[in-house]
């Protein structure tokens, strides 16, 4: 079922059209970054396909290659562009009549299939107006990769892209007509598998080409004009038939079973494709006029179209179009009107041990991870800071492991470069500190010098650090970087009182004979906290080997609890005052109970929980957990036994409103895929407004996410999904070294436990590379 595409569902999201300059031949020098100091620039002609799905280039030896624009992760020019290390290469790149520096004439393209496998390809313009050309190219490509439509193409648009990859990326150019021609053997290889049945599959493809009047000989070439998208579509339909939609079509077809008339197609649209829960006034039913427009748009056969009839091919063409998108397109757009609520009302895209590219014990650390994670829309990143015996600089690494290191200033430079390229909303830096005073002074210096005005040091006047005052909004904190760093107890109390501006909090700190610090507050709200009764812990201590101990649950009187906040950080070093002054709305505290947190009502204090502790709280106090998350932040991080950098299922903690569910971005497992899918909404800005029931303090105060009973004001929905067919599915090689195709059905219930129901079904078909029908699966 798709959403009715009425005016209410209109979207601003459109695919970007290539500029004329990008469809013409542009001469560049191409070179790639590698570990070697030497690079060999090659003269190439660079273009985009007419729809702007790929860029492709050909060198003087007529060797062509291409890159899908959706695979590009970043485009840099100017001071951030790459420059060859080899002096001879620089001389070649400086040659010609071009003006401007080499970096201003260079476009560095970063691409890869994940966050860790990033490759760089560089194009240097040799034209006289090289700087202007590079700006046009880089602006267009960056606009494309930040356009959510590019990452959510319809099946029809993916078919167009596939045609472009084959024709422009693998075709040959005619020297006389300057048109591309596609070798038949190249097309056949793309449409068949490599198994035992490949020969029969090849025969079927060549037969289909012949039936469509296209060249079918092994050494033949298909002209670009003859290989239109309509012909390519007919080829796919011929190879797969339309058996995947035959059942649907026959249910509504006329007695002759050859077509759908306007009345039958209208019936199909309103019964099968429209959500019945939608308001009929806001989302009206399909009319005969709208149905006729769809037939005119999607019917392939001219004779059918003139008679207002829809064939099976026309129906398939409609089902493959963005018009039939199952997700409301507006969800991909930035919802600016929703960005004016307190920060605690949002799910925030968050990363754990951001610097690592692999294993938690032996992985490589790389500053590039900060760039890639931020570019993807992540807004909360982690920095584990240590001292380095071999240098006089603070470093970032996973302590007490064999992980490699990066310098602290490298990470901050990467953050400064990429923090707000794809999202204007605040970036949260979560620190773990293992540095002494001198290294912390350097850290403060780098943060202030590199980040400059982006670094939020003082709280906003409208949002003082006072109990009961809500957190600022993402809109208020645009283009700002906030620091999460554990303070000493005395500094925490003193700086907050000073920043509150009420002049009432006078703090005295004494060292008693037992060497325990006691804190006394006179004429301040904190005096009440010391008088609170002893509270027992509500969950067991974290079993994580992670150095964070912020979720340790102490069984101490509140007075001792206040004096031992710094002790809960394990072996972390005591922060200096200059570092503590950078902390405002992200003040880590030690968790004892939700009741204490509610009584204190400090929205600027936050708790971090290892996943096991958070899971126990979810089971035992889910309603209290949700209510806490309405006011304050909670951050969930993986348990220490996940040394392979695998992820937990984040939905479990989103269900109780946890904002920062931190995952290992280097591992694209199910947990990370859920995270990527969720944060595609709202233009991948990294902030998603939580449901109203998880935000309003006066609404369903005791809402229980685990309940199976009806909830007032909530209409329950049932989602059922039937997979009809799949096209161009990958194969896996079994233990017996046989090619097979597997379909995995996985059902997860994110309640008290994770229940998994997995069924593997081997699917046999004559054309596994083309289409598989799943109708035999219930």
């Amino acid at each position: 079922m798709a959403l009715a595409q009425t005016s209410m569902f209109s979207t601003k999201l459109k695919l970007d059209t290539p500029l004329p300059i990008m469809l013409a031949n542009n001469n560049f020098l191409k070179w790639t970054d590698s570990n070697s100091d030497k690079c060999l620039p090659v003269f190439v002609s660079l273009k985009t396909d007419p729809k702007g799905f790929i860029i492709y280039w050909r060198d003087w030896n007529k060797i062509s290659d291409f890159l899908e624009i959706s695979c590009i992760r970043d485009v840099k020019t100017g001071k951030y562009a790459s420059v060859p290390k080899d002096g001879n290469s620089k001389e070649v790149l400086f040659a010609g009549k071009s003006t401007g520096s080499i970096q201003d004439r260079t476009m560095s393209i970063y691409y890869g299939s994940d966050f860790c496998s990033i490759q760089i390809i560089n194009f240097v313009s040799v034209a006289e107006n090289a700087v202007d050309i590079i700006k046009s190219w880089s602006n267009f490509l960056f606009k494309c990769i930040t356009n959510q439509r590019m990452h959510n193409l319809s099946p029809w648009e993916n078919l167009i892209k596939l045609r472009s990859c084959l024709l422009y990326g693998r075709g040959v150019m005619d020297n006389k007509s300057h048109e591309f021609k596609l070798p038949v053997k190249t097309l056949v290889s793309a449409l068949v598998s490599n198994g035992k049945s490949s020969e029969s599959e090849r025969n079927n493809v060549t037969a289909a080409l012949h039936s469509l009047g296209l060249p079918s000989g092994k050494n033949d070439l298909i002209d670009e004009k003859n290989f239109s998208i309509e012909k390519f579509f007919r080829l796919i339909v011929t190879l797969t038939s339309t058996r995947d939609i035959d059942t649907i079509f026959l249910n509504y077809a006329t007695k002759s079973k050859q077509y759908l008339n306007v009345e039958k197609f209208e019936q199909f649209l309103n019964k099968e494709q429209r959500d019945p829960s939608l308001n009929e006034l806001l989302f009206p039913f399909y009319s005969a006029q709208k149905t006729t427009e769809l037939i005119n748009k999607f019917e392939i056969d001219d004779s059918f179209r003139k008679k207002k009839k829809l064939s099976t091919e026309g129906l398939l063409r409609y089902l493959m179009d963005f018009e039939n998108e199952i997700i409301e397109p507006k969800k991909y757009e930035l919802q600016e009107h929703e960005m004016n609520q307190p920060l605690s009302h949002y799910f925030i895209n968050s990363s754990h041990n951001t610097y690592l590219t692999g294993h938690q014990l032996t992985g490589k650390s790389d500053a590039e991870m900060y760039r890639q994670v931020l570019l993807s829309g992540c807004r909360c990143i982690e920095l584990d800071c240590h001292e380095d015996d071999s240098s006089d600089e603070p470093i970032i690494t996973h302590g007490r492991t064999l992980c490699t290191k990066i310098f602290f200033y490298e990470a901050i430079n990467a953050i400064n470069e990429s923090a707000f390229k794809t999202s204007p909303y605040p970036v949260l830096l979560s620190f773990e500190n293992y540095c002494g005073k001198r290294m912390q002074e350097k850290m403060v210096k780098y943060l202030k010098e590199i980040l400059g005005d982006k670094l939020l040091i003082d709280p906003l006047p409208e949002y003082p650090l006072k109990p009961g005052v809500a957190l600022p909004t993402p809109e208020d904190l645009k283009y700002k970087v906030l620091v999460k760093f554990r303070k000493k107890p005395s500094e925490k109390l003193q700086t907050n009182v000073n920043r509150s501006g009420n002049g009432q909090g006078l703090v005295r700190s004494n060292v008693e004979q037992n060497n325990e610090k006691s804190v006394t507050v006179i004429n301040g709200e904190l005096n009440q906290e010391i008088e609170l009764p002893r509270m027992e812990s509500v969950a067991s201590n974290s079993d994580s080997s992670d150095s964070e101990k912020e979720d340790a649950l102490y069984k101490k009187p509140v007075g001792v609890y206040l004096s031992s906040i710094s002790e809960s950080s394990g072996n972390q070093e005591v922060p200096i005052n200059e570092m503590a002054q950078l902390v405002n709305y992200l003040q880590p505290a030690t968790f004892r109970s939700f009741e204490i947190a509610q009584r204190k009502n400090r929205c600027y204090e936050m708790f971090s929980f290892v996943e096991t502790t958070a899971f126990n709280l979810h089971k035992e106090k889910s309603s209290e957990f949700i209510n806490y998350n309405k006011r304050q932040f909670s951050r969930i991080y993986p348990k220490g036994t996940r040394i392979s950098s695998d992820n937990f299922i984040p939905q479990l903690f989103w269900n109780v409103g946890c904002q920062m569910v931190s995952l290992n971005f280097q591992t694209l497992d199910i947990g990370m895929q859920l995270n990527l899918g969720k944060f595609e909404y709202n233009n991948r800005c990294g902030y998603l407004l939580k449901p109203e029931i998880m935000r309003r303090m006066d609404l369903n105060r005791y809402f229980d996410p685990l309940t199976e009973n009806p909830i007032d004001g909530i209409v329950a929905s049932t989602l059922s999904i039937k997979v009809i067919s799949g096209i161009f599915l990958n194969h896996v090689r079994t233990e017996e070294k046989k090619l097979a195709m597997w379909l995995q059905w996985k059902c997860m219930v994110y309640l008290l436990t994770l229940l998994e129901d997995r069924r593997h079904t081997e699917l046999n078909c004559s054309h596994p590379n083309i289409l598989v029908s799943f109708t035999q699966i219930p």
Side-chain angles (χ1 to χ4, degrees), residues 366-416:
D366 191 348
E368 184 62 32
M369 282 296 293
Y370 286 102
R371 294 187 181 91
Q372 296 305 319
V373 165
L374 287 168
L375 289 168
S376 74
C378 182
R379 297 289 89 186
C380 179
I381 54 180
E382 187 173 15
L383 303 94
D384 294 349
C385 304
H386 297 259
E387 296 191 0
D388 185 21
D389 296 335
S390 61
S391 67
D392 193 29
E393 291 288 343
I395 60 169
I396 292 178
T397 188
H398 201 191
R400 299 178 181 177
T401 67
L402 299 178
C403 295
T404 61
K405 64 186 179 183
I406 57 173
F407 289 115
F408 180 80
Y409 65 80
E410 290 180 308
I412 303 303
N413 274 320
I415 293 168
N416 181 59

Side-chain angles (χ1 to χ4, degrees), residues 31 35 90 113 195 218 321 333 353 438 513 715:
W31 62 279
N35 295 327
K90 287 184 180 181
S113 57
K218 183 178 180 181
D321 197 80
E333 299 176 19
N353 286 357
R438 197 162 62 87
Q513 292 181 354
V715 178

